[in-house]
Short mmCIF file of all heavy atoms in Angstrom, two decimals:
data_model
loop_
_atom_site.label_atom_id
_atom_site.label_comp_id
_atom_site.label_asym_id
_atom_site.label_seq_id
_atom_site.Cartn_x
_atom_site.Cartn_y
_atom_site.Cartn_z
N ASP T 395 -14.42 31.60 182.89
CA ASP T 395 -13.25 31.80 183.74
C ASP T 395 -13.64 32.06 185.19
O ASP T 395 -12.95 31.63 186.12
CB ASP T 395 -12.43 32.99 183.23
CG ASP T 395 -11.69 32.67 181.93
OD1 ASP T 395 -11.58 31.49 181.60
OD2 ASP T 395 -11.24 33.62 181.28
N ALA T 396 -14.74 32.78 185.39
CA ALA T 396 -15.16 33.09 186.75
C ALA T 396 -15.46 31.82 187.53
O ALA T 396 -15.07 31.67 188.69
CB ALA T 396 -16.39 34.00 186.73
N ALA T 397 -16.15 30.87 186.91
CA ALA T 397 -16.48 29.61 187.58
C ALA T 397 -15.21 28.81 187.87
O ALA T 397 -15.05 28.24 188.96
CB ALA T 397 -17.44 28.80 186.72
N VAL T 398 -14.30 28.78 186.91
CA VAL T 398 -13.06 28.03 187.09
C VAL T 398 -12.22 28.62 188.22
O VAL T 398 -11.72 27.89 189.10
CB VAL T 398 -12.25 28.01 185.77
CG1 VAL T 398 -10.85 27.43 186.01
CG2 VAL T 398 -12.98 27.22 184.69
N MET T 399 -12.09 29.94 188.23
CA MET T 399 -11.25 30.58 189.24
C MET T 399 -11.89 30.54 190.62
O MET T 399 -11.19 30.42 191.63
CB MET T 399 -10.93 32.01 188.84
CG MET T 399 -10.05 32.12 187.61
SD MET T 399 -8.59 31.01 187.65
CE MET T 399 -7.83 31.47 189.19
N HIS T 400 -13.21 30.64 190.69
CA HIS T 400 -13.87 30.53 191.99
C HIS T 400 -13.64 29.14 192.58
O HIS T 400 -13.31 29.00 193.77
CB HIS T 400 -15.36 30.80 191.85
CG HIS T 400 -16.11 30.71 193.14
ND1 HIS T 400 -16.80 29.57 193.54
CD2 HIS T 400 -16.26 31.62 194.15
CE1 HIS T 400 -17.33 29.78 194.72
NE2 HIS T 400 -17.03 31.00 195.13
N ALA T 401 -13.79 28.11 191.77
CA ALA T 401 -13.58 26.74 192.26
C ALA T 401 -12.13 26.55 192.70
O ALA T 401 -11.86 25.91 193.74
CB ALA T 401 -13.95 25.75 191.16
N PHE T 402 -11.20 27.09 191.92
CA PHE T 402 -9.79 26.94 192.26
C PHE T 402 -9.45 27.64 193.58
O PHE T 402 -8.84 27.03 194.47
CB PHE T 402 -8.93 27.52 191.14
CG PHE T 402 -7.48 27.68 191.50
CD1 PHE T 402 -6.66 26.57 191.65
CD2 PHE T 402 -6.95 28.94 191.72
CE1 PHE T 402 -5.33 26.72 192.00
CE2 PHE T 402 -5.62 29.10 192.07
CZ PHE T 402 -4.81 27.99 192.21
N LEU T 403 -9.86 28.88 193.73
CA LEU T 403 -9.53 29.63 194.95
C LEU T 403 -10.24 29.05 196.17
O LEU T 403 -9.66 29.00 197.26
CB LEU T 403 -9.88 31.11 194.77
CG LEU T 403 -9.03 31.88 193.76
CD1 LEU T 403 -9.55 33.31 193.59
CD2 LEU T 403 -7.56 31.90 194.17
N LYS T 404 -11.45 28.59 195.98
CA LYS T 404 -12.17 27.98 197.10
C LYS T 404 -11.48 26.71 197.56
O LYS T 404 -11.31 26.47 198.77
CB LYS T 404 -13.61 27.67 196.69
CG LYS T 404 -14.48 27.15 197.84
CD LYS T 404 -15.93 26.99 197.40
CE LYS T 404 -16.78 26.51 198.56
NZ LYS T 404 -18.22 26.35 198.14
N LYS T 405 -11.01 25.91 196.62
CA LYS T 405 -10.29 24.68 196.96
C LYS T 405 -8.99 25.01 197.69
O LYS T 405 -8.66 24.39 198.71
CB LYS T 405 -10.01 23.88 195.70
CG LYS T 405 -9.20 22.60 195.95
CD LYS T 405 -8.90 21.88 194.65
CE LYS T 405 -8.03 20.66 194.90
NZ LYS T 405 -7.69 19.96 193.62
N GLU T 406 -8.26 25.99 197.19
CA GLU T 406 -6.99 26.36 197.80
C GLU T 406 -7.20 26.94 199.20
O GLU T 406 -6.39 26.71 200.11
CB GLU T 406 -6.24 27.36 196.91
CG GLU T 406 -5.77 26.78 195.59
CD GLU T 406 -4.79 25.64 195.78
OE1 GLU T 406 -3.87 25.77 196.61
OE2 GLU T 406 -4.93 24.61 195.09
N LEU T 407 -8.27 27.68 199.39
CA LEU T 407 -8.57 28.24 200.71
C LEU T 407 -8.88 27.14 201.71
O LEU T 407 -8.41 27.18 202.86
CB LEU T 407 -9.74 29.22 200.60
CG LEU T 407 -10.10 29.98 201.87
CD1 LEU T 407 -8.94 30.84 202.37
CD2 LEU T 407 -11.33 30.86 201.64
#
Side-chain angles (χ1 to χ4, degrees):
D395 288 345
V398 171
M399 293 313 305
H400 180 263
F402 168 71
L403 292 175
K404 185 174 181 180
K405 177 183 177 182
E406 293 298 315
L407 185 60

